[in-house]
Amino acid sequence: MTYPPPSPSAEHDVPELMPDALDDDTTTPYGPPSSGMPPSAGPPPSSGMPPSAGPPAEPSFLGDAARRVRDYFLALDPTFLSAIAPLALIAVILFTRAPSTNYIFDEQEALLANPYVNAKGGIGFLDAIHRDFWGLPPDRSVGSYRPLPNFLWRTIWAVTKQPFFHHFYNVLFHAVNGALLTCVTFWLTRRRGLAYLTGLLFVGCAVLTEAVSGIVGIADVLGGMGAIAALAALALPAWAMPFGVFAAVLFGLFSKESALVCVPLVPFAALIAAPLTHPTRPARFVRALLALLAAGAAFVLYVELRRRWFPAPMPAELAAPLPEGAPLVKRALHEALVWFHQAPLPRDPLNNPLGAADMPHRIAGALRVYWRGLTQIVFPWTLSGDYSYPQEPVPDRLVFFGSVAGAAMMVLPPLGSLALWIAALRREHLERRERRSVRAAFLVDGGQATSRRWPLLLAGALLAIAAAALAAYDWHVLRPAGRVPLLRALPLVLWPLPFLPAFLLGLGLLVEGARPLPCPATADRSAWVPLRRGYAGLCIAAIGLTWVVVSYFPHSNIPVVLPTVRAERFWYFPAIGSSLVLAVAFSWLHEALAGSTLTPRARWSWRAWVTPALFVLFFGFQCAQAYRHAMDYRNDLDFWAATKEAVPNSAKAHLNYSVMKGARGDLETRLSESKIAMDLAPTWPMAHVYTGDTLCRMHRPDEAFPHYQRGMELGPNELSLIALALQCLHDEQRLTAHDAELRRLAEEHPGTWLAYLAIDTLDNGATHGGVDPKYRPRGYNEGPKE
């Protein structure tokens, strides 16, 4: 949709951040702002020079550069191409890893050990739809179904296996998202500075470093791209908007399942933003309905395709039927979850101790985690790639500062969003009442533009009625008679989809054909609807506040227990909303301090520079922390060294750091760090086995055996750990010395991997050279086993 440019005399919805952006004088609607003085005004009075003092001095190099930068951002409306250049530069500087980087943490499982990416076992390119995020089949999945990142990985994997390149395109995609968000903000507010401000805040958000610098974060980045593209689609005409929303949401869902938050959020944004994106034909409730139907259809199609392409086993709690007499609400929720058919999620107390807590304590711990993540958005003092046990333990009480603050920030932002929207509606109502008589006198295109578009109305009515009639005829006549097998083959939940496109198209044509609100032919934005100053700021702040809460909720461990208790990449979707809120907050603060317009004299007042100075400090701190955290990804050793310093109570961080040091020959450090992990998590089998393995590699196998024994007792089905212990004992020729203890362990744990491997290795170790090779663990930085 094309908007008229802002008029020099128009009231602005949201002020620009920089003082120069508030000049009232411009040479042309889109041209660079002038000095703010008439040609004969001379220098400002504060200069102390008479008007006849001579020609002005030549601008300095720095002054000219500053003017060019200012004009780049404020003289012309932002486009995707104009926004992508500076944002990509910032993203590359902040988040790019060293070219010598290696695969770190989950990246090894996602790429090196991914059988789909490596095309092992004859897996074809299109088989990504039958594999999970880690390339595993449905019966071995850990629940993450994200085929689009796998398609991308395999395509680039055929070109290069260098870790740097697989990380670098993720950085560029993040910049793309920032540019899209910049354009969306401009379409909503028509304020150039505010639009760029939102893009800068999003791209430089330090808490997103894990998602951008980590290769596995590609799912979050692509999912966020779908969400922002869905917001961008709201600016399309009503007949095209639902198809754009449908495609964007479907793209997001196949990138990461978290994009399901778009189903409520995009219609909510359409409801609030309709007068901003379509000022002459807002039709907010119809546009919200169109967005809801489109996003809902994308979600339903995604679930049905996933159920067919990826038939994962049903979680045990859903496979069991509900007892008779269960409440209706509980039965409905159970049926919905059965239809959704989420693959069983792993429950590891080390990665998510909240999974072992009762619901009240789980919610209290989840609210604490939410509060801590929310503070990282604004003040990212500490950033980490891991928060496992006991860094985020189950709380010992329900009411404490973190749980109360988290609960408040779950409830207050949506309430604040509602209050802001009501305030915006009130301003719109007052403006309509004040200008009713003025609008009646406006004529557009000789009076023709205010009339209805009868061809569109007729076509829209015919399409909508025909689609509804065909759906009713099929439901009441064709289906009962057993006709049209293709439609009868569709599940009930998919039955409306064949009729929905025509209905949406018809409804959209009806909206575009309706009588527009009167608007003058002039480019003066003061005749727009809505007119009152601050309206756009209220609207996008309302969208942003609700967006933060709703988009984080699926990751909160409140509705469902996740495999991970806390991860910074979970904030990629919420950061879209927080960037909108922070940008408006800076603009409102600037308006409160400096006013909506500035004279040349007031431009140099300290009040005019308070907000820009605060923004520079805020954005600079975000960038510094993002860069520091991105440098943690130089290599695996630096990553885990930084992680154990940031979260000293994480047993996994200490143990992984010990492995990295051991891989570099520093066994003494490996031993001390392994013992720290063992002390932090005394019931963690891996900590005990790895401590024993360190001693064994130091040629102290008899000291290692008690640790091996304790680890195997705690995890009798931990195949890789048991194989690791038995192999090292064999290599040190001390396996038979512990024959009696191992056979006793096998008897105490019948039917386990411990029982099988211990006996098999004792009996056949000489033949196999230790553990049977097919059961030996995959080594560090190795690809998938055949």
Short mmCIF file of all heavy atoms in Angstrom, two decimals, residues 651-686:
data_model
loop_
_atom_site.label_atom_id
_atom_site.label_comp_id
_atom_site.label_asym_id
_atom_site.label_seq_id
_atom_site.Cartn_x
_atom_site.Cartn_y
_atom_site.Cartn_z
N ALA A 651 26.89 -27.79 36.48
CA ALA A 651 27.76 -28.97 36.44
C ALA A 651 28.16 -29.29 35.01
O ALA A 651 29.30 -29.70 34.74
CB ALA A 651 27.04 -30.16 37.07
N LYS A 652 27.23 -29.13 34.07
CA LYS A 652 27.55 -29.44 32.67
C LYS A 652 28.65 -28.53 32.13
O LYS A 652 29.53 -28.98 31.37
CB LYS A 652 26.30 -29.29 31.80
CG LYS A 652 26.54 -29.62 30.34
CD LYS A 652 25.33 -29.33 29.48
CE LYS A 652 24.27 -30.37 29.67
NZ LYS A 652 23.15 -30.20 28.73
N ALA A 653 28.65 -27.26 32.55
CA ALA A 653 29.67 -26.34 32.07
C ALA A 653 31.06 -26.78 32.54
O ALA A 653 32.03 -26.79 31.77
CB ALA A 653 29.36 -24.93 32.55
N HIS A 654 31.18 -27.17 33.80
CA HIS A 654 32.48 -27.60 34.32
C HIS A 654 32.92 -28.90 33.67
O HIS A 654 34.11 -29.07 33.32
CB HIS A 654 32.39 -27.77 35.84
CG HIS A 654 32.35 -26.48 36.59
ND1 HIS A 654 33.49 -25.74 36.85
CD2 HIS A 654 31.32 -25.79 37.12
CE1 HIS A 654 33.16 -24.65 37.53
NE2 HIS A 654 31.84 -24.65 37.70
N LEU A 655 31.98 -29.84 33.48
CA LEU A 655 32.37 -31.12 32.90
C LEU A 655 32.79 -30.97 31.44
O LEU A 655 33.77 -31.58 31.00
CB LEU A 655 31.22 -32.11 33.02
CG LEU A 655 31.60 -33.56 32.73
CD1 LEU A 655 32.61 -34.07 33.76
CD2 LEU A 655 30.38 -34.46 32.71
N ASN A 656 32.07 -30.17 30.68
CA ASN A 656 32.45 -29.97 29.28
C ASN A 656 33.77 -29.22 29.16
O ASN A 656 34.57 -29.50 28.27
CB ASN A 656 31.34 -29.22 28.54
CG ASN A 656 30.22 -30.14 28.08
OD1 ASN A 656 30.36 -30.89 27.14
ND2 ASN A 656 29.10 -30.09 28.79
N TYR A 657 33.99 -28.27 30.06
CA TYR A 657 35.29 -27.59 30.06
C TYR A 657 36.40 -28.58 30.35
O TYR A 657 37.48 -28.53 29.74
CB TYR A 657 35.28 -26.47 31.09
CG TYR A 657 36.60 -25.75 31.21
CD1 TYR A 657 37.07 -24.95 30.17
CD2 TYR A 657 37.39 -25.88 32.35
CE1 TYR A 657 38.29 -24.29 30.28
CE2 TYR A 657 38.60 -25.22 32.47
CZ TYR A 657 39.05 -24.43 31.43
OH TYR A 657 40.26 -23.77 31.54
N SER A 658 36.15 -29.51 31.27
CA SER A 658 37.16 -30.52 31.59
C SER A 658 37.48 -31.38 30.37
O SER A 658 38.64 -31.73 30.12
CB SER A 658 36.69 -31.39 32.76
OG SER A 658 35.72 -32.33 32.34
N VAL A 659 36.45 -31.73 29.59
CA VAL A 659 36.67 -32.53 28.39
C VAL A 659 37.51 -31.75 27.37
O VAL A 659 38.43 -32.31 26.73
CB VAL A 659 35.33 -32.96 27.78
CG1 VAL A 659 35.53 -33.65 26.43
CG2 VAL A 659 34.57 -33.88 28.73
N MET A 660 37.22 -30.45 27.22
CA MET A 660 37.99 -29.65 26.28
C MET A 660 39.46 -29.56 26.69
O MET A 660 40.37 -29.64 25.86
CB MET A 660 37.40 -28.24 26.18
CG MET A 660 35.96 -28.16 25.71
SD MET A 660 35.66 -28.97 24.14
CE MET A 660 34.75 -30.42 24.68
N LYS A 661 39.70 -29.41 27.98
CA LYS A 661 41.08 -29.36 28.46
C LYS A 661 41.76 -30.72 28.29
O LYS A 661 42.94 -30.78 27.94
CB LYS A 661 41.10 -28.93 29.92
CG LYS A 661 40.62 -27.51 30.17
CD LYS A 661 41.52 -26.47 29.53
CE LYS A 661 42.83 -26.30 30.26
NZ LYS A 661 43.65 -25.19 29.72
N GLY A 662 41.01 -31.78 28.58
CA GLY A 662 41.59 -33.10 28.41
C GLY A 662 41.94 -33.40 26.96
O GLY A 662 42.96 -34.05 26.68
N ALA A 663 41.11 -32.92 26.03
CA ALA A 663 41.40 -33.13 24.60
C ALA A 663 42.67 -32.43 24.17
O ALA A 663 43.27 -32.79 23.15
CB ALA A 663 40.22 -32.66 23.76
N ARG A 664 43.09 -31.44 24.96
CA ARG A 664 44.32 -30.71 24.67
C ARG A 664 45.48 -31.15 25.56
O ARG A 664 46.49 -30.46 25.66
CB ARG A 664 44.05 -29.22 24.80
CG ARG A 664 43.15 -28.68 23.68
CD ARG A 664 42.51 -27.36 24.04
NE ARG A 664 41.77 -26.79 22.92
CZ ARG A 664 40.54 -27.14 22.56
NH1 ARG A 664 39.91 -28.09 23.23
NH2 ARG A 664 39.95 -26.55 21.53
N GLY A 665 45.31 -32.30 26.24
CA GLY A 665 46.39 -32.90 27.01
C GLY A 665 46.52 -32.43 28.44
O GLY A 665 47.42 -32.88 29.16
N ASP A 666 45.64 -31.53 28.90
CA ASP A 666 45.73 -31.03 30.27
C ASP A 666 44.83 -31.88 31.17
O ASP A 666 43.71 -31.51 31.51
CB ASP A 666 45.29 -29.57 30.30
CG ASP A 666 45.55 -28.91 31.65
OD1 ASP A 666 45.92 -29.62 32.59
OD2 ASP A 666 45.34 -27.68 31.76
N LEU A 667 45.35 -33.04 31.57
CA LEU A 667 44.54 -33.97 32.35
C LEU A 667 44.37 -33.53 33.79
O LEU A 667 43.37 -33.88 34.44
CB LEU A 667 45.15 -35.36 32.29
CG LEU A 667 45.16 -36.03 30.91
CD1 LEU A 667 45.82 -37.41 30.96
CD2 LEU A 667 43.73 -36.16 30.37
N GLU A 668 45.31 -32.78 34.32
CA GLU A 668 45.17 -32.31 35.70
C GLU A 668 43.98 -31.35 35.81
O GLU A 668 43.18 -31.46 36.76
CB GLU A 668 46.46 -31.62 36.15
CG GLU A 668 47.63 -32.55 36.35
CD GLU A 668 47.41 -33.52 37.51
OE1 GLU A 668 46.57 -33.24 38.39
OE2 GLU A 668 48.09 -34.58 37.52
N THR A 669 43.86 -30.42 34.87
CA THR A 669 42.71 -29.52 34.89
C THR A 669 41.43 -30.30 34.63
O THR A 669 40.39 -30.02 35.26
CB THR A 669 42.88 -28.42 33.83
OG1 THR A 669 44.07 -27.69 34.09
CG2 THR A 669 41.69 -27.46 33.85
N ARG A 670 41.51 -31.27 33.74
CA ARG A 670 40.31 -32.08 33.49
C ARG A 670 39.86 -32.77 34.77
O ARG A 670 38.66 -32.85 35.05
CB ARG A 670 40.59 -33.10 32.40
CG ARG A 670 39.36 -33.97 32.12
CD ARG A 670 39.59 -35.06 31.10
NE ARG A 670 38.38 -35.86 30.96
CZ ARG A 670 38.26 -36.93 30.19
NH1 ARG A 670 39.29 -37.34 29.47
NH2 ARG A 670 37.12 -37.60 30.14
N LEU A 671 40.78 -33.28 35.54
CA LEU A 671 40.42 -33.99 36.76
C LEU A 671 39.79 -33.05 37.78
O LEU A 671 38.75 -33.38 38.38
CB LEU A 671 41.66 -34.66 37.36
CG LEU A 671 41.44 -35.45 38.66
CD1 LEU A 671 40.46 -36.60 38.41
CD2 LEU A 671 42.76 -35.98 39.20
N SER A 672 40.38 -31.88 37.96
CA SER A 672 39.83 -30.94 38.96
C SER A 672 38.46 -30.44 38.56
O SER A 672 37.55 -30.33 39.39
CB SER A 672 40.80 -29.77 39.16
OG SER A 672 40.94 -29.03 37.96
N GLU A 673 38.26 -30.16 37.27
CA GLU A 673 36.96 -29.67 36.82
C GLU A 673 35.91 -30.78 36.86
O GLU A 673 34.73 -30.53 37.15
CB GLU A 673 37.07 -29.11 35.40
CG GLU A 673 37.87 -27.82 35.30
CD GLU A 673 37.17 -26.65 35.96
OE1 GLU A 673 35.91 -26.63 36.02
OE2 GLU A 673 37.87 -25.73 36.42
N SER A 674 36.32 -32.01 36.58
CA SER A 674 35.38 -33.13 36.66
C SER A 674 34.90 -33.34 38.09
O SER A 674 33.72 -33.63 38.34
CB SER A 674 36.03 -34.41 36.15
OG SER A 674 36.34 -34.31 34.77
N LYS A 675 35.80 -33.15 39.04
CA LYS A 675 35.41 -33.30 40.44
C LYS A 675 34.46 -32.19 40.87
O LYS A 675 33.54 -32.42 41.67
CB LYS A 675 36.66 -33.31 41.33
CG LYS A 675 37.48 -34.60 41.19
CD LYS A 675 38.67 -34.60 42.12
CE LYS A 675 39.43 -35.93 42.03
NZ LYS A 675 40.62 -35.97 42.93
N ILE A 676 34.64 -30.98 40.33
CA ILE A 676 33.70 -29.90 40.62
C ILE A 676 32.31 -30.27 40.11
O ILE A 676 31.30 -30.08 40.80
CB ILE A 676 34.18 -28.57 40.00
CG1 ILE A 676 35.46 -28.10 40.68
CG2 ILE A 676 33.10 -27.50 40.10
CD1 ILE A 676 36.08 -26.87 40.03
N ALA A 677 32.26 -30.79 38.89
CA ALA A 677 30.97 -31.22 38.32
C ALA A 677 30.35 -32.31 39.16
O ALA A 677 29.14 -32.34 39.40
CB ALA A 677 31.15 -31.67 36.88
N MET A 678 31.17 -33.24 39.63
CA MET A 678 30.66 -34.34 40.44
C MET A 678 30.13 -33.84 41.77
O MET A 678 29.11 -34.33 42.28
CB MET A 678 31.78 -35.36 40.66
CG MET A 678 31.33 -36.68 41.24
SD MET A 678 32.65 -37.91 41.17
CE MET A 678 33.94 -37.09 42.13
N ASP A 679 30.77 -32.83 42.35
CA ASP A 679 30.29 -32.25 43.60
C ASP A 679 28.99 -31.48 43.40
O ASP A 679 28.11 -31.50 44.27
CB ASP A 679 31.35 -31.34 44.20
CG ASP A 679 32.58 -32.11 44.67
OD1 ASP A 679 32.45 -33.33 44.92
OD2 ASP A 679 33.66 -31.49 44.76
N LEU A 680 28.86 -30.79 42.26
CA LEU A 680 27.65 -30.02 41.99
C LEU A 680 26.46 -30.93 41.70
O LEU A 680 25.32 -30.60 42.06
CB LEU A 680 27.88 -29.07 40.81
CG LEU A 680 28.77 -27.85 41.07
CD1 LEU A 680 29.10 -27.15 39.75
CD2 LEU A 680 28.10 -26.88 42.03
N ALA A 681 26.72 -32.04 41.02
CA ALA A 681 25.63 -32.97 40.64
C ALA A 681 26.02 -34.37 41.05
O ALA A 681 26.46 -35.19 40.22
CB ALA A 681 25.37 -32.89 39.14
N PRO A 682 25.90 -34.70 42.34
CA PRO A 682 26.40 -36.00 42.82
C PRO A 682 25.66 -37.21 42.29
O PRO A 682 26.16 -38.32 42.40
CB PRO A 682 26.24 -35.88 44.35
CG PRO A 682 25.23 -34.80 44.56
CD PRO A 682 25.38 -33.86 43.42
N THR A 683 24.47 -37.02 41.72
CA THR A 683 23.73 -38.16 41.16
C THR A 683 23.79 -38.20 39.64
O THR A 683 23.00 -38.91 39.01
CB THR A 683 22.26 -38.12 41.63
OG1 THR A 683 21.66 -36.90 41.16
CG2 THR A 683 22.16 -38.18 43.14
N TRP A 684 24.70 -37.47 39.05
CA TRP A 684 24.83 -37.43 37.59
C TRP A 684 25.80 -38.51 37.15
O TRP A 684 27.01 -38.42 37.45
CB TRP A 684 25.31 -36.05 37.16
CG TRP A 684 25.32 -35.83 35.69
CD1 TRP A 684 24.63 -36.50 34.73
CD2 TRP A 684 26.09 -34.84 34.99
NE1 TRP A 684 24.89 -36.00 33.48
CE2 TRP A 684 25.78 -34.97 33.61
CE3 TRP A 684 26.98 -33.85 35.39
CZ2 TRP A 684 26.36 -34.16 32.64
CZ3 TRP A 684 27.54 -33.03 34.43
CH2 TRP A 684 27.24 -33.18 33.07
N PRO A 685 25.35 -39.53 36.43
CA PRO A 685 26.26 -40.63 36.04
C PRO A 685 27.46 -40.15 35.25
O PRO A 685 28.58 -40.63 35.44
CB PRO A 685 25.36 -41.55 35.22
CG PRO A 685 23.97 -41.24 35.65
CD PRO A 685 23.96 -39.80 36.00
N MET A 686 27.25 -39.21 34.34
CA MET A 686 28.34 -38.78 33.47
C MET A 686 29.48 -38.15 34.26
O MET A 686 30.66 -38.34 33.94
CB MET A 686 27.82 -37.79 32.41
CG MET A 686 28.87 -37.38 31.40
SD MET A 686 28.22 -36.28 30.12
CE MET A 686 27.23 -37.42 29.18
#
